[in-house]
Amino acid sequence: MSIRALLEQRIRERGPVSIAEYMELALAHPEFGYYMTRDPFGAKGDFTTAPEISQVFGELIGAWVASTWKNMGEPARATLLELGPGRGTLMRDALRATQGVEHFHDALRVILCETSPVLTDIQQEVLHKKHRSMGWIEELTPDDLPPLPLFVIANEFFDALPIRQLVGRKERHVMLQEGKLAFDLPASKKLHETCEPALEIIRLLTTHIAQHGGALLIIDYGYEGGSKGDTLQAVKQQQFIDALALPGESDLTAHVDFKALAKAAHSVKGIAVHGPVPQGLFLKRLGAELRATALCKNADSAQQQAILSGLERLVAPTQMGELFKAVAITRKDMPKPEGFYAPRR
Ligand code: SAH
């Protein structure tokens, strides 16, 4: 069996599947789903992400969490949750970078939310003994969150959640046409996307933060104003391919609708949404260049080049610097988190 065979069978038996069902099956089917069966990251994999490009990324995010925790008056106990931790690289770099922050690690319980057993194994190996209190969950429920301040990191997580596509009032589906997978409606200008699972997660986390304090940091590619039409995309070996070409064998994502996420957050009383700020500007405000320069001091010339080209990929407007954006959600009575205002130097 494969995802394609499964999809064809389902469509024959029950009719066309929605885009959300298509994404859900292709990515998360327990046996054949894309994320469930492989490690998709890195130069040899299908795609690469910011923490895999440069250690500076995870280090700065670690420092961001520590500074937000300090802004709150250094609560003696707090939860640090990462959604979709991939290979565990971001968390590893974040924990290493904040080891020297007094009382910070002692205050934390680290929770990693990951559906993929393959990636959970890799995370457990990478993070082994990196923190004394660490646990994994497959799915986020309110019961997983102790009544404590909560800091959440989500890098390239929300883009992986299943979206629905509506053309006018009709929902777009995947059907079979002459034995091949095909869309039943064209991707016209009237196409509008929604991502209910994302909104549900935002409401859950925001409600917790409103009650117990903390902050949620989202970094992803997406759009801020109105609908952007069809953003469903598939990537295989660092190349864009047709979204229906290789279900279960390619990474499927959609752009994140930041406006919809902000609206879901604002539905909870007493909440502030900061950003979106372009990733390049966000990382520079957190001191990306200083950090890279410091790393270069103890590096040979080949390593220096790798450090600088990694930084360039993260911040340059033509690379990840503009397309990716950072958004933070905090309580209204908290100061603006770092990276969301111009720092005084
Ligand atoms: N944050 C990582 C990985 C991004 S890829 C990085 O920056 O490198 C998306 C990650 O989210 C993968 O780890 C994938 O397995 C996970 N994921 C996708 N859907 C999920 C869901 N519904 N619940 C938890 N994890 C999910």
Side-chain angles (χ1 to χ4, degrees):
M1 261 314 216
S2 65
I3 288 292
R4 176 180 298 280
L6 228 127
L7 267 163
E8 288 176 2
Q9 189 186 7
R10 181 169 300 198
I11 294 170
R12 278 202 190 91
E13 283 170 11
R14 287 188 245 162
V17 296
S18 69
I19 304 298
E21 286 171 284
Y22 175 74
M23 275 185 93
E24 173 86 33
L25 262 174
L27 292 177
H29 184 276
E31 240 178 298
F32 310 110
Y34 177 74
Y35 279 115
M36 307 304 269
T37 51
R38 73 197 70 217
D39 168 10
F41 304 101
K44 290 204 193 79
D46 289 327
F47 62 98
T48 189
T49 56
E52 303 298 329
I53 290 169
S54 168
Q55 70 184 78
V56 170
F57 189 78
E59 290 173 348
L60 294 176
I61 289 186
W64 185 90
V65 175
S67 107
T68 312
W69 170 79
K70 281 189 180 172
N71 276 346
M72 266 194 82
E74 308 191 1
R77 291 179 66 206
T79 308
L80 173 57
L81 166 69
E82 185 177 357
L83 303 174
R87 277 185 178 162
T89 311
L90 194 168
M91 185 58 80
R92 184 197 63 198
D93 293 339
L95 289 173
R96 188 188 58 248
T98 51
Q99 253 163 7
V101 180
E102 227 183 329
H103 307 307
F104 181 54
H105 280 210
D106 290 341
L108 293 183
R109 161 136 183 98
V110 178
I111 302 179
L112 297 122
C113 176
E114 174 60 68
T115 38
S116 159
V118 179
L119 292 175
T120 300
D121 280 351
I122 296 175
Q123 291 157 20
Q124 288 181 342
E125 214 175 290
V126 168
L127 294 170
H128 183 64
K129 294 209 171 140
K130 298 289 188 255
H131 192 267
R132 62 176 168 76
S133 173
M134 204 177 279
W136 272 260
I137 55 176
E138 278 176 39
E139 203 184 325
L140 193 61
T141 68
D143 299 339
D144 296 314
L145 303 175
L148 297 170
L150 171 68
F151 300 92
V152 190
I153 306 167
N155 186 58
E156 286 204 47
F157 169 76
F158 285 100
D159 64 66
L161 300 178
I163 53 153
R164 290 174 62 190
Q165 293 189 328
L166 300 161
V167 182
R169 280 200 195 144
K170 283 205 193 108
E171 179 152 15
R172 199 175 187 218
H173 290 81
V174 177
M175 61 176 186
L176 276 173
Q177 196 171 45
E178 290 159 13
K180 282 191 172 159
L181 297 176
F183 293 109
D184 66 346
L185 297 170
S188 75
K189 275 200 192 123
K190 277 192 296 183
L191 193 146
H192 168 75
E193 297 180 340
T194 63
C195 186
E196 190 50 41
L199 304 184
E200 236 168 75
I201 291 171
I202 294 287
R203 282 184 218 113
L204 189 160
L205 295 174
T206 306
T207 305
H208 187 99
I209 288 169
Q211 207 174 351
H212 304 284
L216 161 57
L217 178 65
I218 301 167
I219 302 181
D220 225 313
Y221 43 91
Y223 51 97
E224 295 176 56
S227 169
K228 246 194 67 179
D230 175 24
T231 76
L232 180 67
Q233 62 185 41
V235 168
K236 180 79 193 162
Q237 284 158 356
Q238 334 265 339
Q239 306 283 336
F240 288 110
I241 61 165
D242 187 292
L244 302 183
L246 290 173
E249 309 279 321
S250 56
D251 186 39
L252 280 179
T253 62
H255 284 223
V256 173
D257 181 349
F258 288 114
K259 210 171 165 184
L261 299 194
K263 197 173 158 203
H266 282 306
S267 73
V268 178
K269 231 178 122 196
I271 284 294
V273 179
H274 312 278
V277 168
Q279 170 171 299
L281 180 61
F282 178 69
L283 295 177
K284 283 184 187 172
R285 284 174 170 175
L286 299 184
E289 278 141 344
L290 280 177
R291 180 64 195 138
T293 310
L295 283 173
C296 282
K297 285 212 175 100
N298 304 311
D300 62 31
S301 70
Q303 290 167 328
Q304 287 178 355
Q305 228 179 356
I307 293 163
L308 295 177
S309 74
L311 179 70
E312 178 75 6
R313 275 183 78 181
L314 296 185
V315 303
T318 50
Q319 308 222 21
M320 298 174 80
E322 286 280 349
L323 176 64
F324 283 75
K325 294 174 177 67
V327 171
I329 297 173
T330 64
R331 244 159 56 172
K332 248 190 199 145
D333 58 4
M334 288 289 295
K336 258 193 187 187
E338 254 188 279
F340 294 93
Y341 57 88
R344 271 176 273 139
R345 290 233 187 269

